[in-house]
Amino acid sequence: MKRVHSLEAEPTHSVWDRSLEPRLRIAPGDEVLIACVDASGGQVRPGMSTTEYLGIDRTRIHALTGPIWIDGAEPGDVLQVEVFSTRHTGWGWSSVVEGLGLLKDRFREPYLFHWNLGSDSTSSLAPAIVPVRPFLGVMGVAPAEHGSFRTRPPGVFGGNMDVRELCEGSKLYLPVFNRGALFSCGDGHAAQGDGEVCINGIECPLNVTLRFRLHKQMNLDAPLVEASDSQLLDSLGDAWIVVETGTALYDAARAATGRMIDLLMSRWGLSAVHAYILCSVAMRLRLSQVVNEPVHTVTAAMSKKILPARELFPIQ
Amino acid sequence: MKRVHSLEAEPTHSVWDRSLEPRLRIAPGDEVLIACVDASGGQVRPGMSTTEYLGIDRTRIHALTGPIWIDGAEPGDVLQVEVFSTRHTGWGWSSVVEGLGLLKDRFREPYLFHWNLGSDSTSSLAPAIVPVRPFLGVMGVAPAEHGSFRTRPPGVFGGNMDVRELCEGSKLYLPVFNRGALFSCGDGHAAQGDGEVCINGIECPLNVTLRFRLHKQMNLDAPLVEASDSQLLDSLGDAWIVVETGTALYDAARAATGRMIDLLMSRWGLSAVHAYILCSVAMRLRLSQVVNEPVHTVTAAMSKKILPARELFPIQ
């Protein structure tokens, strides 16, 4: 029989560690209403200044809720996590932090930006209208290895994957490495572009409802997503796309993002840091070709739905 | 006054070279009906065997049509290329070639596959239904440098970009490096996934109508695409997405592609080489996060529209 549990955010944890004591024990098939604070663990507040932001304790990031013990889960099983609902609280933030982000050498100046969030979009970065599709940047199970591991790098156990398709209606499948699986989650994003280039999506507290199921002894090497379009509104529609080619994909991604920022600045009048943040919350990054040796091509796309209409080149 | 020209495919050329004699001279605003042979230069024919395929002259790839001289074009200008229509002839091919492709170490056995193409889709690789959206893999202008350059690597002049969004309704903007611009195109693809992982899309002859315009002395460093959704049907819809994390994007892309192939084989019964080809013509490759150091996450997605419904995990 399905049961519905709820789990408060506090006390959060900020490491993956198979020895952490479970905060909730559930049966397969159960739903859990999970409160997640924002990735800062509630340290960032509406109205906080950039100067105050510099003083937060970064060791508390990502401030995850969990672990949740799933009865009967054993190494070799697959944990299915179905995302039923993801509710933000109307506010979020994005930042630039020295030494982090895809363009860390271009953007060194710390900056904190606050968003007012509607149910479907936000116009805080006007003239851009950013679609809002909340998802958890971090969902994972305890790793196989003994020890405490900071949460920034994702892995085969899931974790800080920042896969934007994990919004309402989607399912995540994770390999289980420990008895009880030991699932934790957090790092709510009201929106995020591919790449999360500035280091943040729209960071926000999220109240989520997840349903857990167990598939016994099925082969799965790493996370798999069954994405639902029902809430995704994935279509790019009409779009501006910069095409960058380079010998390394990472460099091509950096160049493409840099050119998209330049375009947003020169044609839509955004400041450099606002353009960077807009890319981080709304741009798509694709590997257009990875075979035309010795170079690869990355495309960075911004939907025309997000920006006011502009003719970038004079109409003739 | 707009004029409409037409340009036969032959004689094709297979290098970028600013000293090539223009085959057609047009004015800005003119349209050109351009015939393009397939990337092999017409050497691959319907019904050809893999053994025969091994004997083709690969120095003739990509067998481009052009150059076209655009009156008044000068270095520093931007050439606008609007894609009005792209018509295939009902047939195409894809291949695996030893030493080429994203998974060249896994797929060493040469293989030639033939497609029968409908106007909107092809079921040649049943049970997969592959959407057909023809575009030119190669569109470019003569590079700034003197000399003859093989066409495989793309660059700031465009070329072999394999950007699948360049289908009907889209516009390509290219920097001009030489008087007359010297535009050439070819490498028709009836469909292609992000990455073109096996080295081919659905290679095919294409008859295209392009309209050329000139924007005098505008700053553009590298190709820019203004993508139209009208023919794109870009929405992924419901999808299966594998999530791979690694220290290098290229390695993560390889791992994600490999896992998608495994999934197509184990759950949809495709042979390894057919799964590889299906990925090459229909899979999406995204950079989900490029900032969670020291690792990056690539996602490979296959729309559920392409494959018969399967529950990958038992329904409970």
Side-chain angles (χ1 to χ4, degrees), chain A residues 41-57:
Chain A
Q43 297 180 89
V44 179
R45 301 280 182 176
M48 178 181 256
S49 70
T50 298
T51 308
E52 292 171 311
Y53 174 65
L54 292 176
I56 70 166
D57 175 3

Side-chain angles (χ1 to χ4, degrees), chain A residues 9 14 23 40 60 75 113 125 130 142 210-211 228 237 277 281 287:
Chain A
S14 299
R23 290 186 53 216
S40 79
R60 289 182 54 197
F113 183 80
L125 205 54
V130 175
L210 306 181
R211 181 194 282 165
S228 165
I277 288 173
V281 302
L287 304 178

Side-chain angles (χ1 to χ4, degrees), chain A residues 81-269:
Chain A
V81 184
E82 187 169 355
V83 181
F84 271 116
S85 72
T86 57
R87 297 276 180 275
H88 64 69
T89 61
W91 164 81
W93 59 275
S94 301
S95 72
V96 173
V97 178
E98 192 179 2
L100 298 177
L102 184 64
L103 302 182
K104 59 170 79 77
D105 44 356
R106 178 169 172 183
F107 292 91
R108 298 164 181 274
E109 192 72 31
Y111 184 71
L112 178 64
F113 183 80
H114 295 273
W115 303 85
N116 286 309
L117 305 174
S119 56
D120 290 329
S121 66
T122 168
S123 54
S124 292
L125 205 54
I129 306 289
V130 175
V132 164
R133 302 282 171 263
F135 71 97
L136 291 164
V138 177
M139 288 195 271
V141 293
E145 298 77 14
H146 286 277
S148 277
F149 306 96
R150 280 293 277 130
T151 50
R152 188 182 294 160
V156 292
F157 59 93
N160 190 22
M161 299 181 288
D162 290 320
V163 172
R164 55 192 290 281
E165 289 82 0
L166 280 167
C167 53
E168 280 185 12
S170 289
K171 296 173 189 159
L172 172 64
Y173 299 91
L174 293 170
V176 172
F177 300 102
N178 294 280
R179 287 189 57 226
L182 302 168
F183 175 89
S184 298
C185 62
D187 192 26
H189 294 159
Q192 187 207 291
D194 293 334
E196 200 189 22
V197 294
C198 89
I199 195 66
N200 291 145
I202 299 183
E203 307 296 322
C204 63
L206 275 189
N207 294 304
V208 303
T209 305
L210 306 181
R211 181 194 282 165
F212 298 86
R213 294 189 188 280
L214 215 49
H215 301 282
K216 296 299 292 178
Q217 300 300 307
M218 292 195 65
N219 185 39
L220 184 70
D221 293 330
L224 176 69
V225 176
E226 187 173 2
S228 165
D229 199 39
S230 56
Q231 296 289 329
L232 188 54
L233 302 184
D234 183 69
S235 176
L236 193 58
D238 292 354
W240 291 103
I241 306 179
V242 297
V243 182
E244 277 291 329
T245 292
T247 50
L249 283 172
Y250 186 74
D251 295 341
R254 283 169 52 89
T257 303
R259 275 184 64 213
M260 181 60 80
I261 289 169
D262 295 340
L263 199 64
L264 293 169
M265 292 171 66
S266 66
R267 306 306 171 96
W268 279 272

Side-chain angles (χ1 to χ4, degrees), chain A residues 214 226 293 304 316, chain B residues 104 214 226 286 304 316:
Chain A
L214 215 49
E226 187 173 2
E293 294 173 346
K304 288 190 178 180
Q316 292 166 322
Chain B
K104 58 171 81 78
L214 217 48
E226 187 173 1
R286 291 191 178 169
K304 287 190 179 180
Q316 294 165 320

Side-chain angles (χ1 to χ4, degrees), chain B residues 12-68:
Chain B
T12 63
H13 65 95
S14 299
V15 292
W16 294 107
D17 188 334
R18 51 179 285 180
S19 71
L20 289 177
E21 194 63 30
R23 291 186 53 218
L24 178 69
R25 288 170 185 261
I26 66 169
D30 287 358
E31 285 179 28
V32 190
L33 285 64
I34 304 176
C36 295
V37 289
D38 73 292
S40 79
Q43 297 179 89
V44 179
R45 301 279 183 179
M48 178 181 256
S49 70
T50 299
T51 307
E52 291 170 312
Y53 174 65
L54 292 176
I56 71 166
D57 176 3
R58 298 196 69 86
T59 68
R60 288 183 53 197
I61 292 171
H62 291 97
L64 305 181
T65 307
I68 297 172

Side-chain angles (χ1 to χ4, degrees), chain B residues 201-217:
Chain B
I202 300 182
E203 308 296 320
C204 64
L206 276 190
N207 294 304
V208 302
T209 306
L210 306 181
R211 180 194 282 165
F212 297 87
R213 295 188 187 281
L214 217 48
H215 303 280
K216 296 299 292 179
Q217 299 300 308

